[in-house]
Amino acid sequence: MAESAQTWKNSEQVSIKVDPERILSPIDDRTYSGFLEHMGRCIYGGIVDFENVKPGLTNEKGYRLDVAKALKDLNMPVVRYPGGNFVSSYHWQDAIGPKENRPRRPELAWLGEESNLFGTDEFIEWCEFMNVEPYLCLNMGTGTLDEALAWVEYCNSSKNTYYANLRRNNGHEKPYNVKYWSLGNEVWGDWQVGQLSSTDYSKKAFQWAKALKLLDPSIRLIACGCTGFDNWDYDVTQALVSKIDLYSIHLYTSHAEYYKNVTGPAAAERAIQISAKLLDLAKITQKAYDKDIKICFDEWNVWDPIRADGSKGAEEKYHLGDALAVAAWSNVFIRQAHHIGMANIAQCVNVIAPIMTNKDGLYLQTIYFPFLLFAKYMRGHSINLHVSGPRYEGETNNVQCDLGWVKHSEPILNYIDVSAAIYEGHVNIAIINRDLEKDHEVNIRLEGDYKDTSLTYTVYHDDVNAVNNFENPNNVGITEGTVPTSDLAAFKVLKHSFVLVRVPIA
Ligand code: AHR
């Protein structure tokens, strides 16, 4: 007993014990959702290219077909739109109706100009084309409750009323039935047009929620949380628990130093746990016992906003280390699946994104590959596991906000970071070796009976700073392999690599 407690603390030998009978939670498919903002080249030049409509590259509407294919492979169930910070000075009615009448506006979040050529109707059409569900974020900066109500009516009403008829006049007879609506974006941030204190936001959001649900009780309202570990989160969960369906939090991690970068996502694990507990507490104190409010982590990724400035388009170039950080983020979502109702990688294309385009084509960034593997295989149910091995004892930090506290938090920083799921007749184990110097031999122990051959999908390069680009698009990718299931007892995981093992159940 004493010996195993010691092993748990810190040991050179890595062991992963997976017990597929101990199901932790269903994994919500919406964990693999995305986000599109009118920012940089995300919309124009990203998902659409109205100036470069040509067969092979776009369809007749200007949708980029290569981007659509790369996104479809990620199988995103929901896409959030139109921002982000952008939404806080966005008037949706500027971007409907005949395109020649749409006003071109100054854009205050990223200090650009917005043509409004892509708006609500185009977004919904694109969602139908992509077979994804739309999620709209309301303007709680310069926007009014009247405008928000009008937007919900325009999208969802089948009645004989003004905005429902406006939609019909614009050629869309059937309501769009947009289910997900969020009450503002990062309203707490001093960069936000219309920043509010938590008290003022809570009062305003409470009244908006009441009115929006009177208009359409079927919508799912998402409150604007902060990081999940901020006093804002306490105040807003207390104030809004009875009115909301999901609770949004945001976090971006990144650091130039490798270990700080790849361990940063541990903060997201604590963010989820803390905000889930704050929601529990609010349910008790506000007597909202029957509410089941999950976390909507609707902006997450690796992003250094100094390296990739938002007002310059935030075109991050992701190396292998960043891909390992994205895998670590994804492991967090699987381990915390019980609390996750949705998560949206920010963003989908060109802007802090897995996909990069130019006028003629695209390439897939390193972070695309772990996301793809998770989206394909880490579904179904999250299962219990126990990992022992060397602990990372160094600093964890971040460019955007102080994460120095993470190392004093729960003992979750193993060099070998793991999650597991049971899905489509396989036990799927996602393993990151964050050790920069050493390959590790991992003793994977599985309860139950399995077929003889397991499948492996590895993301690795000798150089942890390796990137993909237009000149060398396949520098980092996925290597597929097989391994005798019996050899998983001594399974080599390369230094600074990610491997997903699929073990077929007998
Ligand atoms: O995704 C980029 C920006 O990051 C979003 O506009 C904002 O919500 C966050 O600060």
Side-chain angles (χ1 to χ4, degrees):
M1 192 64 178
E3 197 187 330
S4 65
Q6 184 59 31
T7 308
W8 176 78
K9 267 184 144 181
N10 202 342
S11 108
E12 267 310 295
Q13 175 59 48
V14 184
S15 122
I16 302 172
K17 185 166 186 311
V18 186
D19 185 354
E21 288 190 352
R22 291 192 59 196
I23 297 211
L24 296 179
S25 164
I27 298 165
D28 199 308
D29 283 342
R30 285 166 288 212
T31 304
Y32 302 110
S33 295
F35 171 40
L36 295 173
E37 176 165 4
H38 285 260
M39 176 179 178
R41 299 190 303 124
C42 179
I43 304 289
Y44 308 109
I47 60 160
V48 295
D49 194 346
F50 295 140
E51 287 163 12
N52 196 21
V53 177
K54 58 179 181 201
L57 185 74
T58 68
N59 68 6
E60 68 296 343
K61 291 189 167 151
Y63 301 166
R64 281 284 298 248
L65 296 173
D66 51 353
V67 174
K69 158 86 175 70
L71 282 175
K72 273 186 183 164
D73 288 345
L74 297 178
N75 200 4
M76 290 175 167
V78 179
V79 173
R80 177 178 183 246
Y81 171 85
N85 298 340
F86 170 82
V87 83
S88 295
S89 57
Y90 176 63
H91 297 289
W92 68 271
Q93 292 184 60
D94 286 345
I96 55 168
K99 289 198 173 172
E100 60 278 13
N101 297 341
R102 296 186 190 180
R104 200 175 163 86
R105 300 276 191 202
E107 192 286 299
L108 301 184
W110 310 110
L111 304 180
E113 293 173 16
E114 176 52 49
S115 69
N116 285 311
L117 293 177
F118 188 92
T120 303
D121 298 315
E122 289 79 19
F123 174 61
I124 300 288
E125 272 186 27
W126 182 84
C127 287
E128 283 164 5
F129 167 73
M130 293 294 295
N131 195 25
V132 303
E133 195 168 353
Y135 159 13
L136 294 174
C137 183
L138 295 165
N139 173 2
M140 287 191 75
T142 61
T144 63
L145 174 55
D146 265 345
E147 268 179 280
L149 287 164
W151 204 4
V152 173
E153 182 191 328
Y154 184 88
C155 289
N156 289 0
S157 177
S158 52
K159 296 193 174 151
N160 179 22
T161 53
Y162 180 80
Y163 286 104
N165 287 331
L166 187 58
R167 184 196 67 240
R168 292 186 184 99
N169 289 341
N170 287 337
H172 308 281
E173 179 56 37
K174 283 202 188 134
Y176 296 145
N177 295 322
V178 177
K179 185 161 35 163
Y180 300 104
W181 297 83
S182 56
L183 297 160
N185 174 73
E186 295 185 359
V187 183
W188 40 271
D190 62 7
W191 52 88
Q192 207 67 226
V193 173
Q195 180 196 8
L196 294 173
S197 68
S198 57
T199 311
D200 290 344
Y201 171 74
S202 298
K203 280 188 197 154
K204 185 171 170 180
F206 190 96
Q207 294 305 325
W208 280 43
K210 193 168 70 184
L212 291 161
K213 287 262 186 164
L214 285 171
L215 180 68
D216 184 350
S218 74
I219 58 175
R220 311 270 292 154
L221 285 177
I222 302 166
C224 169
C226 184
T227 51
F229 46 81
D230 192 278
N231 288 335
W232 171 284
D233 296 294
Y234 174 80
D235 295 343
V236 169
T237 50
Q238 286 288 322
L240 295 183
V241 69
S242 63
K243 287 280 174 245
I244 58 169
D245 303 292
L246 287 153
Y247 187 71
S248 148
I249 56 175
H250 290 179
L251 187 68
Y252 293 93
T253 59
S254 83
H255 205 283
E257 287 176 40
Y258 169 82
Y259 280 116
K260 290 179 182 168
N261 191 32
V262 295
T263 57
E269 189 139 23
R270 299 298 284 134
I272 294 165
Q273 291 167 328
I274 293 166
S275 44
K277 292 298 162 235
L278 289 176
L279 285 163
D280 272 352
L281 181 65
K283 278 161 65 172
I284 296 166
T285 58
Q286 304 304 314
K287 301 193 175 11
Y289 308 127
D290 57 345
K291 293 293 287 194
D292 180 17
I293 303 171
K294 301 269 193 234
I295 308 295
C296 175
F297 218 129
D298 54 12
E299 285 187 35
W300 69 269
N301 202 348
V302 175
W303 181 25
D304 175 347
I306 298 164
R307 182 170 70 187
D309 185 343
S311 57
K312 296 193 178 113
E315 301 207 357
E316 278 278 20
K317 306 286 181 290
Y318 291 113
H319 53 48
L320 175 63
D322 297 323
L324 301 183
V326 162
W329 267 99
S330 306
N331 270 348
V332 167
F333 293 135
I334 300 304
R335 287 193 296 259
Q336 299 301 324
H338 177 56
H339 299 304
I340 297 292
M342 192 189 305
N344 307 63
I345 190 168
Q347 301 185 6
C348 290
V349 52
N350 289 331
V351 176
I352 43 175
I355 301 164
M356 298 299 286
T357 67
N358 64 13
K359 285 244 163 273
D360 305 311
L362 62 73
Y363 73 89
L364 305 174
Q365 297 229 58
T366 60
I367 63 167
Y368 184 91
F369 301 104
F371 191 92
L372 174 73
L373 290 170
F374 273 85
K376 268 180 139 167
Y377 302 122
M378 300 302 280
R379 294 188 187 248
H381 289 83
S382 171
I383 54 180
N384 191 58
L385 44 79
H386 175 81
V387 182
S388 62
R391 286 277 314 278
Y392 172 71
E393 310 275 2
E395 300 294 324
T396 285
N397 220 323
N398 196 21
V399 176
Q400 290 217 22
C401 64
D402 180 21
L403 297 184
W405 53 266
V406 167
K407 73 179 239 180
H408 305 292
S409 192
E410 286 199 349
I412 47 180
L413 285 175
N414 293 314
Y415 278 99
I416 309 294
D417 189 60
V418 191
S419 72
I422 187 160
Y423 180 55
E424 291 187 337
H426 289 74
V427 171
N428 298 327
I429 312 167
I431 309 170
I432 311 159
N433 179 0
R434 298 191 273 206
D435 197 320
L436 199 48
E437 312 292 338
K438 278 173 59 181
D439 303 342
H440 280 277
E441 189 177 277
V442 179
N443 170 220
I444 302 177
R445 289 179 292 146
L446 288 142
E447 296 286 326
D449 296 323
Y450 298 92
K451 294 188 184 157
D452 292 342
T453 305
S454 295
L455 307 163
T456 61
Y457 304 84
T458 304
V459 181
Y460 174 73
H461 192 286
D462 289 344
D463 178 3
V464 75
N465 294 314
V467 297
N468 290 345
N469 49 38
F470 279 107
E471 290 70 46
N472 197 1
N474 302 317
N475 194 30
V476 178
I478 298 170
T479 307
E480 296 189 13
T482 57
V483 57
T485 302
S486 55
D487 287 2
L488 291 177
F491 181 62
K492 183 169 152 187
V493 184
L494 297 171
K495 64 183 180 183
H496 58 73
S497 74
F498 168 62
V499 59
L500 195 145
V501 185
R502 302 191 67 216
V503 191
I505 297 168

